[in-house]
Amino acid sequence: FRHFPLVKIHQRAHKAAEAAIGAAQEGKFLEMHEMLLNNRRHLGTITLKSYAKEIGITNKSFLNDLINSKYGWFVQDDLKYGIDLGVREVPAFFVNGERLEGNVTARSLTEFINDALKKKKIRKAA
């Protein structure tokens, strides 16, 4: 998973990505990610802190970390990496450096992953 906040569309996307990374420090990334998706219209810093509390984050410095952008560089690195790979919209799926193009469905993603696994087995056998 890489963060690719579309700040032109949502001004608070970057800070939300930082909150997800902060939550990940306590093993709560998926819970925070789901919370952010379900509440994407309400992503102010204080609200992000309340979401953290709601999902069980115990880190007393969570709000301070958000205010001071402790995880900001991680988000920036992910964003730069995505731009370098040509990502323009999300979600974008890559497996072993290869991008899934076209309309992404559960079926196309499953086939893409299975193809990547087959290629990996062929390379190991060679």
Side-chain angles (χ1 to χ4, degrees):
F1 189 95
R2 303 279 182 156
H3 300 276
F4 198 81
L6 299 173
V7 292
K8 288 183 180 179
I9 295 170
H10 199 305
Q11 296 174 355
R12 296 179 176 169
H14 195 284
K15 196 57 72 177
E18 290 180 48
I21 294 171
Q25 305 313 301
E26 291 191 34
K28 301 279 188 178
F29 174 80
L30 291 177
E31 293 88 342
M32 180 61 87
H33 185 68
E34 186 173 322
M35 181 72 77
L36 297 172
L37 288 176
N38 290 335
N39 297 286
R40 64 180 140 258
R41 296 194 187 279
H42 307 284
L43 300 176
T45 304
I46 301 301
T47 306
L48 293 172
K49 163 90 169 90
S50 70
Y51 296 156
K53 187 175 182 181
E54 193 173 326
I55 64 169
I57 299 295
T58 59
N59 179 0
K60 300 291 184 205
S61 64
F62 186 87
L63 179 59
N64 193 46
D65 292 346
L66 283 178
I67 291 169
N68 292 311
S69 296
K70 179 176 181 177
Y71 303 109
W73 286 108
F74 293 98
V75 177
Q76 285 297 316
D77 287 347
D78 283 356
L79 186 58
K80 182 183 179 325
Y81 184 67
I83 290 168
D84 291 346
L85 290 173
V87 173
R88 295 183 189 276
E89 56 188 31
V90 293
F93 296 93
F94 291 84
V95 176
N96 296 334
E98 215 173 300
R99 185 174 181 175
L100 174 58
E101 300 288 344
N103 185 29
V104 178
T105 62
R107 183 179 181 169
S108 67
L109 183 57
T110 300
E111 289 173 3
F112 187 62
I113 292 169
N114 287 336
D115 288 346
L117 290 170
K118 287 176 191 172
K119 289 177 186 175
K120 189 172 183 174
K121 285 181 183 178
I122 290 170
R123 279 188 231 137
K124 279 188 175 183

